[in-house]
Amino acid sequence: MDTTVENKYTFKDFASDQEVRWCPGCDDYVILRAMQKALPEIGVKKEDIVFISGIGCSSRFPYYMDTYGMHSIHGRAPAIATGTKLANPNLSVWVITGDGDSMAIGGNHFIHALRRNVDLNILLFNNEIYGLTKGQFSPTSLVGQKTKSSPYGNTQPPFSAGELAIGAQARFFARIGGNTPKEMTQIFIEAEKFKGTSLIEVMQNCPIFNDGCFDQFTDKAVRADKQLFVEHGKPMIFGKDRNQGLVLNGLKLEVVAIGENNITEEDILVHDAKEQDPTLHQMLVRLDYPKVMGVIRSFNDITLEERKDAQTQEVKSNSKFRKTDDLFFSGDIYEVE
Amino acid sequence: MATTEIKHQPEVLEAVIIRFVGDSGDGMQLTGTQFSDTSAMFGNDIATFPNYPAEIRAPQGSLYGVSGFQVHIGSVEISTPGDEVDLLVAMNPAGLKTNLHAVKPGHTIIVDTDAFTKKNLEKAQYDSNPLEDGSLENYRVIEVTMTSLTKEALKDVEGLDNKSITRSKNMFALGMVYWMYDRSTDHTIAFFKNKFKTKPQLIEANTKVLNTGYYFAETLELIPNSYTVAPAKMESGTYRIIMGNTATAWGFLAASEKCGLDLFLGSYPITPASDILHELAKHKHFGVKTFQAEDEIAGITSAIGASFAGNLAITTTSGPGLALKGEALGLAMMIEMPLVVVNVQRGGPSTGLPTKTEQSDLLQTLYGRNGESPVIVLAASTPSNCFDFAYEAAKLTIEHMTPVVLLSDGYIANGSAPWKIKSVSDMPDINNNIIHKAKENWHPYDRNEKTLARDWAIPGTPGLEHRVGGLEKDRISGNVSYVPDNHEYMVNIRAEKIMRVQNSIPELTTAFSDEGDLLVIGWGGTYGSLYSTVKHIKEEGFNTIGFAHFNYINPLPKNTAEVLKRFKKIVVCELNNGQFAKVLKLNFNDFNILQFNKIQGLPFGNEELVQKFKQLVK
């Protein structure tokens, strides 16, 4: 069924009548606006869009979108969304989650959703802190980080969302800074177009409990030099002057300067997001410098609903049962006079 | 076939109880099922009770590895698998030891003497061989070298390994019992032909062993006479034998067809509920979607997601799983969506007794969630009415837009009984609350005046975009609301919505007596034991005992107090420590409510009930 329409919507069509209640200066506003701008471009009918969230600051998101939505319970949004998508594959289903919601209390649903490859878009707001419960460390907080529940420093090593996701068979993983709305909008569009589970990690600044935690690579002044924005089929070049690039040296990625030591653009690795083997994608995810943004992995694969649908069609075409009567009155039945 | 050659004069019995016991790998469940199916097709009323260990293949010969299957067949109405048995077939010493207490004195025990080796006797913790030491003097023991006779019978069949040979000795026992009770072997032979389609040597072997057992019993002088049980007087119609869990699954299939919504099951495997998942997974031809989730929570939450998208959504579990589903069930109640949770109760607490029966999840079901979170609670009471109550659960959840928990238990879920087949065309209509078109000034919490059910606006419907969620909602707009009065109003309206279900459910009825000295009360899977006991006592001349059985637990039937009022004494019988008695006491404090409880992982026995009831009416 074709659920797309011509570009008749503007971002305003997706804003609900509810007052947005995040803290002033929060990146969540940027993400909300980027989504409201992405949806008209994607062109799916409003009534076919569903936002499902768990618990946390980010999970208030569905209330602000004038689509169908469910603000559910902590950590369970991927499982709810899986049910919604399997029940009606025509819907465009988005999961809104945070670092605690997806990787602590909801870790199990998160990895299994990725493994199954249902056509969902999971939007992960990672701020490396618990915001709504007012400042405890999260599963992505750094070792040593001082928080309300770790006054002497966090002792638990963090997850990397991308590493975890790719380890859990994620076919699509993208990462973006919370202060780059234009690129974010483009990534949302790409994620929706991808058939299968798409995970987008937004490095989202919490101005209240973890302010500036991503500044070393998201701050406008250093962004161009500290971030590599990858695009499929293009060389991995970054830097204000576009003169830095990545090469593979043995089993490690290495930053090289173009124009030095006879290195030319030709030597720089070309990004292949569609490669099935996730080895290089994992290495890009793990890199601290430069911090890799953009669509890191986008491997096309059959979705769970496609598999299930094919099986159902086959069973239906081979089965002698059309109505429940056919089943109930089949096999070992007997008459009592 | 051999049945035509029978020359003996069978003794006619009203009812017979037979128990097959052996190692968990001895095929006792299959043997019992074959015997009960054959008897049902002959026209007997039946009730069965499988009793098996949690271990799939417990160490051979051990006491805790004994697997049993009891079947009660009758020419009269049969409501339970019965207590004491007329015939015990024991394939090994451990089976004999753990089941001897259940054999009526003077009645028959068939044993495979080949299994009574020194090693097996030790494993069964026998100091001496019970076949030799006189300890079975009070019984009629039929000793058969079953394993050797089976081997001998199969010595000329090609393509069999030793394992297949010894494994078919259960068919020898079945053949003997078929002859003793004058049953045809036809159904079982047809079963072999179907089951072993691709292995003709197994069809030959099993048929041969079955017939050998049959002829052996015929010619064996050790069997002084044989028995028959005439067909029962049952309502005319088309029947089949159905297990409780299958009936539950089929009730949902019927409801899905009737209401026109696809059936979605989100579930995580758990004993004794998994068979519902297995059954529904087979029925993709009806468009059924089954989703085996990563855990119990994802089982229910995926179902909530599917319900949100407009499916008839259910989740199935047992006690520990219900505990895990608690928060999500609260969400379903809060967002007022249709959802059926099936809890096939087992022995608790914690992991408890996974393969045994109990009714100890009642309070968890009623109250095991945070906040004021009432749900509709139903309880099926026989293997075959699992069909009706699964259907009823689906009907009520769709019509009232609130979750329903359907309680079953290991006893009725695994037990089987004749089911007079129902066609979907005979089932009551299911009216949904789906709203298809945007109306002016529509709100997600607009309610049906009569039921208070809210409109069901399904994603994909233009103009009805809205948000639901676990936060308290404004009574009209459905937006988040922290207004104190609104919260109280919403808590009350969600409770009132459940109470109004009373208008959609039947009144409580009593059997045997409408008033008198003693009212026996039960709920759920104890129906058969209680009904047959009260019936039995009534036949002895105790005319002042009535019986009321509850299938509707929340809300209770409207006339409950009226019924209780008409009896001097009330005794609530349940397989827990008095949970339903507590519920009745909470609701009706004018009555002196007595209890009779059993928590042994087993159903009530008739004898213990008879004693209790007689003592109470004295």
Side-chain angles (χ1 to χ4, degrees):
Chain A
M1 194 176 86
D2 180 27
T3 58
T4 55
V5 287
E6 291 304 308
N7 292 339
K8 68 166 188 182
Y9 296 124
T10 70
F11 74 92
K12 284 181 189 155
D13 290 306
F14 290 98
S16 78
D17 59 357
Q18 295 298 291
E19 196 187 337
V20 184
R21 296 191 193 179
W22 287 309
C23 307
C26 180
D27 280 352
D28 288 7
Y29 286 94
V30 180
I31 303 170
L32 179 65
R33 180 53 72 95
M35 182 61 76
Q36 287 166 345
K37 284 193 166 167
L39 292 179
E41 286 197 47
I42 291 167
V44 175
K45 290 180 195 162
K46 246 170 98 160
E47 62 266 27
D48 291 330
I49 301 173
V50 180
F51 281 89
I52 297 174
S53 64
I55 294 292
C57 292
S58 61
S59 287
R60 300 296 175 99
F61 195 95
Y63 289 126
Y64 307 136
M65 297 295 301
D66 193 22
T67 64
Y68 283 93
M70 189 193 298
H71 176 217
S72 78
I73 47 177
H74 210 1
R76 317 305 171 199
I80 295 174
T82 298
T84 300
K85 184 72 183 180
L86 291 178
N88 183 358
N90 289 324
L91 298 173
S92 164
V93 183
W94 293 80
V95 171
I96 305 295
T97 187
D99 39 322
D101 194 57
S102 64
M103 283 178 279
I105 195 165
N108 202 24
H109 312 306
F110 181 66
I111 57 174
H112 285 276
L114 294 166
R115 166 177 77 90
R116 293 188 183 108
N117 202 34
V118 183
D119 188 15
L120 306 172
N121 310 302
I122 304 178
L123 182 48
L124 164 59
F125 296 35
N126 182 9
N127 55 14
E128 301 189 350
I129 196 79
Y130 281 61
L132 198 66
T133 51
K134 300 182 180 50
Q136 301 82 5
F137 63 86
S138 91
T140 52
S141 295
L142 304 175
V143 168
Q145 190 172 326
K146 288 189 176 164
T147 71
K148 285 241 182 79
S149 54
S150 59
Y152 303 109
N154 177 26
T155 52
Q156 303 185 10
F159 268 141
S160 145
E163 260 188 280
L164 180 66
I166 293 172
Q169 317 291 310
R171 282 39 161 213
F172 182 104
F173 175 69
R175 188 158 60 191
I176 191 70
N179 59 353
T180 45
K182 249 173 75 186
E183 292 83 352
M184 199 186 293
T185 300
Q186 281 315 305
I187 284 180
F188 292 167
I189 294 168
E190 278 195 56
E192 165 57 28
K193 289 194 171 150
F194 180 81
K195 288 272 164 255
T197 309
S198 325
L199 176 64
I200 310 136
E201 181 189 21
V202 181
M203 312 303 276
Q204 170 246 324
N205 187 49
C206 170
I208 307 297
F209 295 110
N210 204 11
D211 195 21
C213 67
F214 302 127
D215 277 0
Q216 71 275 18
F217 56 86
T218 56
D219 192 89
K220 220 173 167 182
V222 300
R223 198 152 70 204
D225 285 328
K226 296 293 173 70
Q227 285 187 19
L228 162 64
F229 193 88
V230 291
E231 288 173 272
H232 176 71
K234 295 197 178 159
M236 300 189 210
I237 296 174
F238 67 104
K240 207 160 44 226
D241 304 324
R242 305 289 296 161
N243 61 351
Q244 308 277 323
L246 288 186
V247 295
L248 202 54
N249 183 359
L251 291 175
K252 294 229 152 116
L253 288 173
E254 197 178 282
V255 177
V256 291
I258 299 169
E260 285 176 25
N261 302 324
N262 297 326
I263 290 184
T264 67
E265 240 185 84
E266 299 290 298
D267 299 313
I268 303 300
L269 279 173
V270 172
H271 182 46
D272 184 0
K274 296 182 177 175
E275 168 60 47
Q276 179 171 6
D277 184 335
T279 312
L280 202 62
H281 302 149
Q282 277 285 24
M283 291 164 78
L284 291 170
V285 166
R286 293 168 67 107
L287 214 56
D288 276 332
Y289 166 74
K291 198 78 180 173
V292 181
M293 300 291 180
V295 178
I296 293 173
R297 178 169 173 77
S298 174
F299 162 62
N300 277 305
D301 196 2
I302 185 167
T303 64
L304 179 71
E305 57 272 32
E306 286 168 344
R307 271 210 179 86
K308 276 182 157 310
D309 187 56
Q311 206 175 50
T312 300
Q313 294 317 322
E314 198 192 332
V315 172
K316 272 188 174 168
S317 63
N318 294 327
S319 172
K320 57 184 185 204
F321 299 130
R322 291 284 172 272
K323 293 277 175 192
T324 49
D325 274 1
D326 306 335
L327 168 70
F328 297 174
F329 290 93
S330 71
D332 285 339
I333 60 169
Y334 59 97
E335 296 296 326
V336 172
E337 299 295 318
Chain B
M1 190 39 244
T3 37
T4 55
E5 295 165 21
I6 293 169
K7 291 182 186 76
H8 61 277
Q9 285 294 313
E11 181 188 338
V12 179
L13 300 173
E14 263 196 349
V16 162
I17 302 170
I18 302 168
R19 190 184 288 188
F20 299 92
V21 298
D23 253 332
S24 48
D26 274 346
M28 293 297 98
Q29 304 303 319
L30 173 68
T31 311
T33 308
Q34 282 301 310
F35 187 77
S36 44
D37 286 358
T38 294
S39 296
M41 291 191 179
F42 178 71
N44 293 138
D45 196 0
I46 66 155
T48 70
F49 181 46
N51 195 349
Y52 50 85
E55 295 76 13
I56 300 304
R57 292 279 185 276
Q60 243 183 344
S62 66
L63 290 171
Y64 59 87
V66 173
S67 166
F69 190 100
Q70 182 160 319
V71 53
H72 192 174
I73 59 171
S75 60
V76 292
E77 185 183 13
I78 299 294
S79 1
T80 77
D83 304 346
E84 294 191 306
V85 306
D86 300 288
L87 170 66
L88 175 71
V89 178
M91 303 302 284
N92 68 2
L96 178 66
K97 182 148 191 185
T98 47
N99 289 280
L100 184 61
H101 65 94
V103 185
K104 291 176 191 162
H107 282 70
T108 310
I109 300 170
I110 297 178
V111 293
D112 176 10
T113 49
D114 289 334
F116 281 66
T117 59
K118 192 163 172 273
K119 203 169 142 198
N120 279 346
L121 289 165
E122 276 169 16
K123 281 188 194 161
Q125 297 168 22
Y126 272 118
D127 296 330
S128 60
N129 188 343
L131 304 178
E132 293 162 0
D133 65 9
S135 58
L136 302 177
E137 250 176 19
N138 290 335
Y139 305 92
R140 183 192 302 147
V141 181
I142 301 172
E143 298 185 19
V144 187
T145 53
M146 232 180 272
T147 310
S148 331
L149 288 167
T150 300
K151 282 184 184 160
E152 180 65 23
L154 295 181
K155 67 170 194 260
D156 295 330
V157 182
E158 278 175 22
L160 291 177
D161 51 25
N162 265 336
K163 205 170 147 199
S164 317
I165 292 172
T166 41
R167 275 179 70 176
S168 56
K169 68 179 179 222
N170 58 335
M171 290 302 120
F172 192 99
L174 182 62
M176 286 182 70
V177 180
Y178 273 159
W179 188 82
M180 291 173 72
Y181 292 97
D182 196 19
R183 294 282 177 268
S184 159
T185 53
D186 293 356
H187 170 74
T188 299
I189 291 169
F191 167 82
F192 296 151
K193 286 184 181 155
N194 186 38
K195 183 171 168 86
F196 302 123
K197 251 180 237 159
T198 55
K199 294 175 182 160
Q201 76 276 20
L202 289 183
I203 300 175
E204 189 190 348
N206 279 287
T207 307
K208 203 157 189 186
V209 176
L210 183 75
N211 285 335
T212 308
Y214 190 92
Y215 296 133
F216 181 82
E218 189 184 9
T219 50
L220 196 67
E221 302 222 330
L222 280 171
I223 299 177
N225 55 10
S226 76
Y227 314 96
T228 189
V229 180
K233 289 184 203 74
M234 294 167 77
E235 206 182 316
S236 67
T238 310
Y239 283 76
R240 67 185 307 137
I241 302 302
I242 201 160
M243 270 177 58
N245 272 339
T246 309
T248 301
W250 289 15
F252 290 121
L253 290 179
S256 165
E257 186 174 316
K258 191 75 168 192
C259 72
L261 303 178
D262 280 350
L263 181 61
F264 180 97
L265 166 65
S267 185
Y268 187 76
I270 185 169
T271 304
S274 306
D275 279 340
I276 304 173
L277 168 63
H278 304 162
E279 181 60 29
L280 288 176
K282 289 184 206 161
H283 298 303
K284 284 194 174 359
H285 36 246
F286 299 135
V288 178
K289 294 165 195 162
T290 55
F291 175 62
Q292 182 175 317
E294 58 273 22
D295 58 26
E296 292 281 358
I297 298 169
I300 185 172
T301 48
S302 61
I304 291 172
S307 177
F308 188 57
N311 277 183
L312 165 56
I314 64 172
T315 184
T316 50
T317 191
S318 185
L322 187 68
L324 287 164
K325 292 182 196 293
E327 187 194 13
L329 182 51
L331 173 70
M333 185 236 36
M334 191 68 166
I335 64 178
E336 306 189 39
M337 299 289 299
L339 173 75
V340 179
V341 181
V342 181
N343 176 9
V344 184
Q345 298 169 96
R346 63 191 219 184
S350 188
T351 310
L353 306 169
T355 59
K356 308 295 176 190
T357 199
E358 211 163 88
Q359 297 183 296
S360 47
D361 290 339
L362 180 66
L363 294 181
Q364 179 187 208
T365 302
L366 286 168
Y367 307 119
R369 289 169 295 286
N370 58 312
E372 297 287 348
S373 49
V375 295
I376 299 172
V377 181
L378 308 181
S381 50
T382 67
S384 53
N385 84 9
C386 283
F387 177 88
D388 303 295
F389 284 97
Y391 189 93
E392 179 78 339
K395 178 173 157 67
L396 290 176
T397 200
I398 289 173
E399 294 188 342
H400 293 265
M401 293 293 286
T402 194
V404 176
V405 181
L406 170 62
L407 294 172
S408 170
D409 61 52
Y411 179 62
I412 57 172
N414 288 315
S416 52
W419 175 52
K420 190 179 165 192
I421 304 172
K422 288 185 178 168
S423 168
V424 170
S425 53
D426 302 331
M427 301 303 289
D429 284 338
I430 299 176
N431 305 305
N432 65 50
N433 293 280
I434 297 172
I435 169 164
H436 296 281
K437 265 197 172 152
K439 293 188 281 196
E440 214 173 308
N441 210 21
W442 177 81
H443 299 104
Y445 281 74
D446 285 349
R447 295 175 189 279
N448 176 308
E449 277 178 19
K450 227 172 85 194
T451 60
L452 299 179
R454 73 174 185 91
D455 285 347
W456 191 4
I458 297 169
T461 319
L464 299 180
E465 294 84 4
H466 68 285
R467 276 65 58 194
V468 295
L471 286 171
E472 185 61 280
K473 295 293 184 288
D474 177 77
R475 66 179 77 175
I476 296 163
S477 69
N479 290 326
V480 176
S481 168
Y482 287 90
V483 175
D485 286 349
N486 179 72
H487 177 51
E488 192 162 294
Y489 175 89
M490 289 298 275
V491 165
N492 291 338
I493 207 154
R494 286 187 291 261
E496 172 66 16
K497 189 167 68 155
I498 304 291
M499 284 317 290
R500 290 205 189 176
V501 174
Q502 279 190 329
N503 301 324
S504 311
I505 63 172
E507 293 207 328
L508 183 66
T509 56
T510 52
F512 307 113
S513 181
D514 290 338
E515 54 181 14
D517 294 323
L518 178 66
L519 177 65
V520 172
I521 285 180
W523 66 274
T526 52
Y527 172 82
S529 325
L530 298 173
Y531 177 86
S532 56
T533 305
V534 180
K535 186 174 173 224
H536 171 83
I537 295 185
K538 172 100 176 170
E539 283 161 4
E540 280 188 20
F542 289 84
N543 289 318
T544 58
I545 300 187
F547 171 51
H549 200 78
F550 288 78
N551 293 109
Y552 296 87
I553 309 288
N554 197 39
L556 291 163
K558 250 184 190 169
N559 64 330
T560 301
E562 292 300 310
V563 172
L564 301 190
K565 211 185 286 181
R566 301 199 295 257
F567 291 85
K568 285 182 194 147
K569 281 184 188 170
I570 295 163
V571 62
V572 179
C573 308
E574 39 184 341
L575 302 173
N576 59 39
N577 246 349
Q579 299 193 5
F580 189 56
K582 274 197 186 80
V583 171
L584 290 178
K585 285 173 192 170
L586 268 175
N587 281 278
F588 313 106
N589 48 19
D590 298 343
F591 304 103
N592 177 23
I593 289 169
L594 307 169
Q595 295 177 207
F596 185 61
N597 304 114
K598 177 173 177 176
I599 322 167
Q600 302 174 3
L602 292 169
F604 283 122
N606 283 90
E607 201 44 49
E608 59 196 355
L609 291 171
V610 167
Q611 275 182 21
K612 179 71 185 177
F613 299 160
K614 283 185 177 172
Q615 175 208 329
L616 285 172
V617 282
K618 235 181 239 166

